[in-house]
Amino acid sequence: MLTEWYDALGIGMTDAACPVPDAEDVAAVYYGSCFRSRDSKGSVEDELDDIPPLRIGDVRDPLELELLEAFANDTEAPLPGGKGLGQMALRRLERSERLGRPAGRAVIWMVKQVRRYLDPDDTVRACAQQRFARIVTPDTKVVIGHSLGSVVAYEALRAHPEWNVHTFVSLGSPLGIQAIRDRLRPAPPAAGHGCPPVTRWVNVAAKDDPIALVKHLAPLFGDVDDQPVVNLPWHHPGKYVFGSHSVLRYLTTGEVAEAVASALLASDR
């Protein structure tokens, strides 16, 4: 994961004529195994590359249904209430090209990951936060969080005001979804407030990214530099990616390159 992310960031920064950070100065937080029970076995590659054969019948939790319906409602007119709403949402997502293929089971997998992270028992959340805190050092100047990773990073930064992080970059973030905002820890104090203790927060959201349902986070969190982009699907042999939600596509944008370069330049002064 670190190699792929670093290579994509390098492409974006080179294209933007920005100096590329040395590889030894970049680290990645891996918390995928936090979702795995102690009795299960599997390789890191399995967790990163394989999406389980999930079906709509596997979505039963109220938060999972709420998230599934929110993503589906962003593709067309709002869905009517009533029985079978989850199946209608999934069919709508299957018809959408914005997530890439196969959308259905990938979205179910994702909403289950989000629900498990936000679960009140805190098992997954505590594990992910511990992994994050082990990676951040006094020299960490930029934190980049993609998708659910932006939620993990947001909570970590707010929980650790002593960290010397200059810039937080959120990519394809679902932080604007109310069901997620209502479960953040620590909770944002009020609408328009709740930025983490960093000098700059850059939120990069692709126009056609249905996971980043709310493209502009400033009205919800305060001083956020919202940067809209247009992402095309990232084609990677043998791997599934979420079309415009692809982290590799985000990392090659000039907006991310500028945010990283500006933070590193400011911290060197």
Side-chain angles (χ1 to χ4, degrees), residues 71-152:
F71 295 140
N73 281 340
D74 190 52
T75 65
E76 298 178 20
L79 290 167
K83 187 177 181 181
L85 186 57
Q87 292 190 19
M88 294 172 64
L90 183 61
R91 285 197 295 271
R92 180 170 290 181
L93 285 165
E94 286 284 17
R95 293 196 302 268
S96 173
E97 296 291 339
R98 292 163 65 180
L99 281 173
R101 302 289 185 178
R105 69 188 182 112
V107 173
I108 294 173
W109 174 80
M110 185 192 65
V111 299
K112 282 185 169 292
Q113 300 292 87
V114 173
R115 190 269 302 165
R116 290 186 62 196
Y117 177 80
L118 297 174
D119 195 280
D121 75 3
D122 267 359
T123 303
V124 174
R125 182 186 245 139
C127 177
Q129 289 296 321
Q130 289 170 4
R131 300 279 181 89
F132 202 101
R134 287 206 301 261
I135 294 296
V136 176
T137 75
D139 295 325
T140 302
K141 303 303 179 185
V142 184
V143 165
I144 300 175
H146 172 254
S147 198
L148 176 57
S150 69
V151 179
V152 178

Side-chain angles (χ1 to χ4, degrees), residues 45-246:
E45 290 75 14
D46 290 339
E47 293 165 7
L48 292 175
D49 298 342
D50 294 343
I51 298 174
L54 297 165
R55 300 172 180 270
I56 190 61
D58 296 316
V59 181
R60 302 183 184 91
D61 182 88
L63 176 56
E64 292 176 5
L65 285 169
E66 185 176 352
L67 291 169
L68 185 64
E69 291 156 15
F71 295 140
N73 281 340
D74 190 52
T75 65
E76 298 178 20
L79 290 167
K83 187 177 181 181
L85 186 57
Q87 292 190 19
M88 294 172 64
L90 183 61
R91 285 197 295 271
R92 180 170 290 181
L93 285 165
E94 286 284 17
R95 293 196 302 268
S96 173
E97 296 291 339
R98 292 163 65 180
L99 281 173
R101 302 289 185 178
R105 69 188 182 112
V107 173
I108 294 173
W109 174 80
M110 185 192 65
V111 299
K112 282 185 169 292
Q113 300 292 87
V114 173
R115 190 269 302 165
R116 290 186 62 196
Y117 177 80
L118 297 174
D119 195 280
D121 75 3
D122 267 359
T123 303
V124 174
R125 182 186 245 139
C127 177
Q129 289 296 321
Q130 289 170 4
R131 300 279 181 89
F132 202 101
R134 287 206 301 261
I135 294 296
V136 176
T137 75
D139 295 325
T140 302
K141 303 303 179 185
V142 184
V143 165
I144 300 175
H146 172 254
S147 198
L148 176 57
S150 69
V151 179
V152 178
Y154 172 87
E155 291 192 330
L157 289 167
R158 289 209 61 215
H160 293 277
E162 75 278 9
W163 286 351
N164 193 33
V165 175
H166 183 280
T167 297
F168 170 39
V169 183
S170 53
L171 310 176
S173 177
L175 277 164
I177 299 174
Q178 184 172 347
I180 293 176
R181 281 201 323 278
D182 290 345
R183 293 166 173 82
L184 292 173
R185 296 183 186 173
H193 300 83
C195 279
V198 295
T199 302
R200 187 184 183 199
W201 177 358
V202 180
N203 177 56
V204 185
K207 176 179 179 293
D208 290 328
D209 185 345
I211 306 305
L213 289 181
V214 180
K215 312 299 180 185
H216 295 85
L217 297 182
L220 300 172
F221 293 95
D223 189 15
V224 184
D225 183 2
D226 289 306
Q227 298 277 351
V229 297
V230 176
N231 282 350
L232 297 175
W234 181 282
H235 300 287
H236 195 297
K239 292 189 178 182
Y240 176 78
V241 293
F242 280 116
S244 60
H245 188 60
S246 166

